[in-house]
Amino acid sequence: EAGVTQSPTHLIKTRGQQATLRCSPISGHTSVYWYQQALGLGLQFLLWYDEGEERNRGNFPPRFSGRQFPNYSSELNVNALELEDSALYLCASGKYRNTGELFFGEGSRLTVL
Amino acid sequence: QQQVKQSPQSLIVQKGGISIINCAYENTAFDYFPWYQQFPGKGPALLIAIRPDVSEKKEGRFTISFNKSAKQFSLHIMDSQPGDSATYFCAASFSNTGKLIFGQGTTLQVKP
């Protein structure tokens, strides 16, 4: 069974640009979660999508947004990139309401110059 | 208060020894406490998890001890092996929020 897949693996952008990260969940999982892992800040919850809708978001500005598609894949968009957005962005999938058992992908490393 | 405090930040253990990582929380509404293991360049992987109505859970060499009254839980790795060298994160979650609150992580090094 394929795990959570994320693309791209690495992404380099400059300040002010937009970044789009993509995620495919494990087959049968309807929920997709996005986390930011920045150096020194640990893992921070960004967004939760389930059945195509945003169910919850963490303490991040509105320029962090995303969506979930009918096939349950998801994308995370970060607009007006700032230097501090440089981080590993992790996508996880899980079954709805089973919020503890998350299966993470290997992440997309975003570098903002 | 939604923080989960994890200690120590780093840990060095000899092969065959016991590794112990501790976490503490404030919010009694948390109802699920997983531990994740992360190797360099990889995403975190679920290791073991416990719910607050259970005081201990063991899976192989990994044991979670949970103290509800003290609002603390810990991970014990018995017979630690060099392959266990990784970063370990404790976490806590509220049902139906889709949100895991992670501790800051513990980097474990097991020396051969």
Side-chain angles (χ1 to χ4, degrees), chain B residues 21-35:
Chain B
I21 305 170
N22 301 299
C23 286
Y25 64 97
E26 288 294 324
N27 197 323
T28 56
F30 287 135
D31 58 5
Y32 190 77
F33 300 87
W35 284 88

Side-chain angles (χ1 to χ4, degrees), chain B residues 69-98:
Chain B
S69 60
K71 292 185 282 188
Q72 294 175 350
F73 58 111
S74 60
L75 176 70
H76 292 63
I77 306 174
M78 313 299 287
D79 187 25
S80 298
Q81 300 295 313
D84 297 330
S85 298
T87 300
Y88 292 80
F89 294 93
C90 63
S93 72
F94 305 97
S95 288
N96 306 327
T97 66

